């Protein structure tokens, strides 16, 4: 199973985010997308719901504890994300946390138009 982790800025659009996530998954030959994983600290925002709907996959909200637990295995460190959210890797962390134990990153964080996306593969969703 593949999980796309996504982070976003307030300027991101749902249509552009869905197109970008789909492109990242397809270009990197990931298995069919199973979930869109996003940080729980942004719960209540409409954008991830819209993106998941456009992608035709369920949305997985990653808790702060689960996101914190995988920060040490995320290869990308964003100083900006760290300052703004307290997490150095949001997209990679969400993907890994949602893909469950033993997950690995097929795609490191990619960025486009205020959206970050990473893809993890794993056996099961946490």
């Amino acid at each position: 199973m593949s999980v796309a982790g996504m982070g976003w800025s307030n300027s991101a659009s749902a249509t552009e985010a869905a197109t970008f996530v789909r492109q990242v998954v397809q270009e990197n030959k990931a298995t069919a997308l199973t979930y869109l994983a996003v940080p729980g600290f942004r719960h209540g925002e409409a954008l991830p719901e819209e993106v998941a709907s456009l992608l035709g996959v369920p949305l997985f909200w990653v808790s702060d504890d689960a996101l914190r637990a995988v920060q040490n295995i995320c290869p990308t460190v964003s100083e900006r994300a760290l300052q703004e959210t307290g997490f150095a890797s949001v997209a990679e962390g969400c993907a890994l946390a949602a893909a469950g134990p033993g997950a690995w990153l097929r795609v490191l964080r990619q960025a486009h138009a205020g959206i970050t996306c990473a893809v993890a593969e794993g056996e099961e969703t946490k």
Side-chain angles (χ1 to χ4, degrees):
M1 75 168 222
S2 289
V3 176
M6 185 180 80
W8 64 95
S9 70
N10 292 332
S11 65
S13 85
T15 303
E16 190 149 19
T19 300
F20 178 57
V21 170
R22 191 175 288 116
Q23 175 186 340
V24 168
V25 169
Q26 290 172 350
E27 286 181 357
N28 291 281
K29 298 176 178 49
T31 59
L33 191 60
T34 309
Y35 292 96
L36 177 66
V38 296
F41 62 79
R42 297 208 59 179
H43 202 274
E45 295 186 31
L47 183 110
E49 298 280 353
E50 294 171 25
V51 174
S53 178
L54 289 167
L55 292 170
V57 297
L59 188 58
F60 187 100
W61 291 97
V62 177
S63 71
D64 286 3
D65 288 343
L67 190 53
R68 192 172 295 106
V70 296
Q71 290 297 294
N72 64 329
I73 59 172
C74 295
T76 303
V77 173
S78 167
E79 290 299 325
R80 182 176 177 187
L82 184 58
Q83 289 176 354
E84 292 179 11
T85 69
F87 297 100
S89 184
V90 174
E92 290 174 350
C94 285
L96 286 167
W104 56 279
L105 286 171
R106 173 171 287 282
V107 183
L108 300 182
R109 184 191 76 170
Q110 306 287 308
H112 171 74
I115 305 142
T116 59
C117 175
V119 179
E121 298 209 359
E123 297 296 317
E124 60 185 74
T125 301
K126 243 181 170 180

